[in-house]
Amino acid sequence: MFRALAVASVALRPRKAGQVWTMASHQLLVSPPEALRKPLSVPSRLLLGPGPSNLTPRVMAVGSLPLIGLMHKEMFQIMDDIKQGIQYVFQTQNLLTLAVSGSGHSALEAALFNVLEPGDSFLVGANGVWGLRAADIGERIGARVHTMLKDPGGHYTLQEVEEGLSQHKPALLFLTHGESSSGVLQPLDGYGELCHRYKCLLLVDSVASLGGAPIYMDQQEIDILYSGSQKVLNSPPGTSIISFSDKAQSKIYARKTKPCSFYLDMKGLANFWGCEDKPRIYHHTVPIISLYSLRESLATIAEQGLESSWRQHREAAAYLHGRLQALGLQLFVKNPALRLPTITTVAMPAGYDWRDIVSYVMDHFNIEIMGGLGPSVGKVLRIGLLGCNATRENVDRVIEALKEALQRCPRNKL
Ligand SMILES: *Cc1c(COP(=O)(O)O)cnc(C)c1O
Ligand SMILES: *[C@@H]1O[C@H](CO)[C@@H](O)[C@H](O)[C@H]1NC(C)=O
């Protein structure tokens, strides 16, 4: 509903022949919204879902620093610092390493838009929602997509991957390191080498696992690796990080067609991020303030040390798993070696509706946990221990909340 405003008098004056109106010549049909007159109000919550995670005080503080221009030398320095931070968390020497202006999905699209050409064979491990999305994007590009479909909870052995490689001769294989919809940690040792024996590039999604479980881009011969800002890194959503091996870069530079996205075209981005030895040319306005946050997150994890961060997540997850089992709950991933330390999936206890439990924990404890996603909907509850919030105290809080929810929520509803 909107009401028309009084007509501006300037619009009513008769027009003289040849006169050009530079003032408003129409009435405003949409009035200023009442809702925007109220001050912004946001609750403070403990975010223990699969992301986003709570920001650290340090990350919040840099969010209010003054804005500078994207072509200022100080900004280029911040971008260079970020690239070094990414090289550290990915454990890579790749020069084509940068942050993408967009959430985790934009890094996935950046990878696929740049590396795949129409007609390329693309092999996808789809053991949850992320592989299904990679396959969807591959189809939009016009690649020949071959999906190795598995129920959530499954992972891919070297033998299964080798069968896919020899059958489909793909140019690219997609695997998810931390499958956050199912709670599976995909092993990665040997997969890159195997792909390279079959002239295939390896693309890995580490959005949910980076910083919480070991990954070694160069040593594991991963060709394209990406992650997000809002999980273990405790930064605001809206930026993601990506790196390309020399082999992946060669495929991009040998393309016969332009990538179908200008915004995510790696040649333009590589130049703007100073990955080439050439003067930087404006490509698009990067999210400057979000990049301050990303730099601060990378600085925080570099100070803590990757190994210490991995240990923190492993210990917090082990403590959570023990306490969940003591409550009589079952973990969805049976093999402890395949459990993702950052995001735990609990098999949905019989008789409950997952929505009741998630709402109870939110309404009575102000804590976010989540149900499943895509193929795991209705099968699991998901609890995330991400970055600064991967602590025993938070495990105690969420266990107390879950215990009460299990007592109070209706049973045998389903
Ligand atoms: C969260 C997540 C994404 C998607 O990231 P967005 O920032 O929401 O675009 C991709 N992959 C995995 C494994 C994730 O957990
Ligand atoms: C979770 O993280 C937020 C942000 O760092 C922090 O304010 C809060 O104290 C943390 N909660 C606990 C219980 O550690």
Side-chain angles (χ1 to χ4, degrees):
M1 292 299 244
F2 48 80
R3 70 196 142 83
L5 294 181
V7 177
S9 59
V10 63
L12 291 178
R13 260 184 259 132
R15 228 176 252 244
K16 289 191 198 99
Q19 187 172 357
V20 177
W21 286 101
T22 54
M23 300 285 285
S25 59
H26 294 275
Q27 355 178 339
L28 296 181
L29 295 179
V30 181
S31 39
E34 278 304 314
L36 290 181
R37 297 168 64 95
K38 291 193 215 101
L40 174 64
S41 150
V42 177
S44 189
R45 293 199 170 123
L46 181 56
L47 303 177
L48 300 185
S53 59
N54 290 99
L55 306 180
T56 62
R58 207 173 142 172
V59 165
M60 269 193 273
V62 299
S64 56
L65 290 175
L67 191 69
I68 57 175
L70 76 158
M71 302 295 289
H72 298 184
K73 65 179 191 306
E74 294 83 358
M75 194 59 212
F76 292 159
Q77 183 61 53
I78 290 169
M79 292 162 73
D80 288 346
D81 297 348
I82 288 173
K83 286 196 292 181
Q84 288 184 48
I86 302 170
Q87 287 172 329
Y88 172 65
V89 290
F90 282 178
Q91 288 294 294
T92 184
Q93 316 272 353
N94 291 337
L95 294 178
L96 186 46
T97 297
L98 49 84
V100 179
S101 310
S103 78
H105 281 84
S106 69
L108 170 59
E109 291 204 332
L112 297 181
F113 286 172
N114 285 280
V115 172
L116 286 180
E117 286 195 84
D120 276 351
S121 171
F122 177 33
L123 185 63
V124 180
N127 51 340
V129 79
W130 307 111
L132 296 176
R133 295 209 174 168
D136 179 322
I137 298 165
E139 278 164 14
R140 290 166 195 250
I141 293 168
R144 288 178 289 127
V145 180
H146 306 284
T147 306
M148 300 185 285
L149 197 61
K150 273 194 189 243
D151 287 336
H155 76 289
Y156 296 92
T157 62
L158 282 166
Q159 196 190 334
E160 287 165 334
V161 166
E162 183 154 18
E163 282 164 17
L165 292 171
S166 67
Q167 192 185 341
H168 301 295
K169 314 255 177 310
L172 182 68
L173 166 68
F174 172 90
L175 290 176
T176 310
H177 185 219
E179 221 302 335
S180 53
S181 65
S182 64
V184 168
L185 182 71
Q186 167 67 45
L188 289 175
D189 277 339
Y191 291 75
E193 228 182 307
L194 177 62
C195 284
H196 294 154
R197 281 214 301 279
Y198 284 84
K199 304 255 176 300
C200 172
L201 300 174
L202 175 60
L203 161 62
V204 174
D205 173 328
S206 69
V207 177
S209 55
L210 185 80
I215 193 160
Y216 309 87
M217 184 174 192
D218 288 358
Q219 291 166 76
Q220 291 174 322
E221 297 189 31
I222 298 166
D223 293 291
I224 308 117
L225 181 62
Y226 68 92
S227 192
S229 57
Q230 79 277 26
K231 309 229 174 171
V232 168
L233 292 181
N234 302 128
S235 253
T239 60
S240 49
I241 59 182
I242 195 163
S243 179
F244 295 82
S245 70
D246 289 345
K247 285 190 178 72
Q249 201 171 337
S250 304
K251 174 114 173 46
I252 294 172
Y253 280 78
R255 289 182 69 97
K256 291 178 206 72
T257 56
K258 280 187 185 181
C260 64
S261 167
F262 177 88
Y263 193 65
L264 297 174
D265 188 328
M266 226 15 89
K267 287 183 187 165
L269 295 181
N271 168 276
F272 187 67
W273 276 83
C275 303
E276 314 174 316
D277 232 356
K278 288 185 199 147
R280 303 187 201 212
I281 299 164
Y282 165 74
H283 181 264
H284 69 269
T285 306
V286 291
I288 295 164
I289 304 276
S290 298
L291 291 178
Y292 299 171
S293 304
L294 182 60
R295 184 196 181 280
E296 208 59 14
S297 287
L298 291 166
T300 305
I301 197 163
E303 254 171 49
Q304 180 184 0
L306 273 177
E307 284 149 317
S308 157
S309 180
W310 296 336
R311 194 180 325 115
Q312 179 193 334
H313 287 84
R314 192 173 62 237
E315 287 172 2
Y319 181 61
L320 172 65
H321 297 167
R323 295 222 49 193
L324 288 166
Q325 286 164 323
L327 273 188
L329 294 166
Q330 305 274 322
L331 296 178
F332 184 69
V333 181
K334 297 296 167 231
N335 181 349
L338 296 175
R339 286 181 194 147
L340 178 59
T342 47
I343 293 160
T344 295
T345 41
V346 182
M348 210 35 230
Y352 290 98
D353 185 334
W354 64 270
R355 295 173 202 87
D356 292 336
I357 295 185
V358 167
S359 310
Y360 191 93
V361 170
M362 174 65 87
D363 297 345
H364 295 81
F365 292 86
N366 217 15
I367 299 175
E368 175 181 67
I369 62 168
M370 242 184 232
L373 179 67
S376 67
V377 171
K379 295 195 167 90
V380 297
L381 293 172
R382 296 185 295 162
I383 303 172
L385 297 172
L386 301 169
C388 67
N389 279 128
T391 61
R392 289 172 80 95
E393 298 82 81
N394 284 338
V395 171
D396 291 338
R397 286 174 67 183
V398 74
I399 289 290
E400 185 201 345
L402 257 183
K403 194 171 160 187
E404 199 178 298
L406 292 169
Q407 286 162 358
R408 302 284 171 79
C409 289
R411 275 198 90 162
N412 296 319
K413 235 175 106 171
L414 302 178

